Amino acid sequence: MNISELPALNTWIGTACELSAVRDSQALHNPNTGAALVESRSSSAEQVDRAIALAHETHQAGTWEELCVEGRVPFLLAFADLLDAETEAI
């Protein structure tokens, strides 16, 4: 697998995906071969602050907590489908 075939390391804030802002000086490596796989990136402090603020706001709203199990199932199945679609990349 070439480094160009792997997705960039992203930061998710709510439902939005954005490139992690901090370019690290290292790469992530294949543990079996030691080959560099993808440039390592990290979320910036500002990205982390926004993610925490949104998570707190969402938690305070109580939307998920108030949703019955049957109401949660479609969201969890949709998430599972998204993960399944990325199995090869993961």
Side-chain angles (χ1 to χ4, degrees), residues 10-88:
N10 294 314
T11 295
W12 286 87
I13 301 173
T15 59
C17 176
E18 58 190 64
L19 185 63
S20 296
V22 179
R23 183 176 275 169
D24 297 334
S25 61
Q26 299 180 359
L28 298 180
H29 294 85
N30 180 324
N32 296 316
T33 66
L37 296 175
V38 67
E39 174 188 42
S40 180
R41 297 185 75 92
S42 299
S43 302
S44 68
E46 185 269 336
Q47 287 174 314
V48 171
D49 288 345
R50 285 191 292 127
I52 291 170
L54 183 58
H56 179 72
E57 180 182 314
T58 302
H59 177 73
Q60 291 299 101
T63 305
W64 187 257
E65 180 181 37
E66 294 170 3
L67 199 57
C68 65
V69 172
E70 292 81 12
R72 294 178 186 189
V73 167
F75 294 103
L76 295 172
L77 290 175
F79 181 67
D81 289 342
L82 289 171
L83 285 177
D84 285 343
E86 296 297 324
T87 299
E88 287 299 318

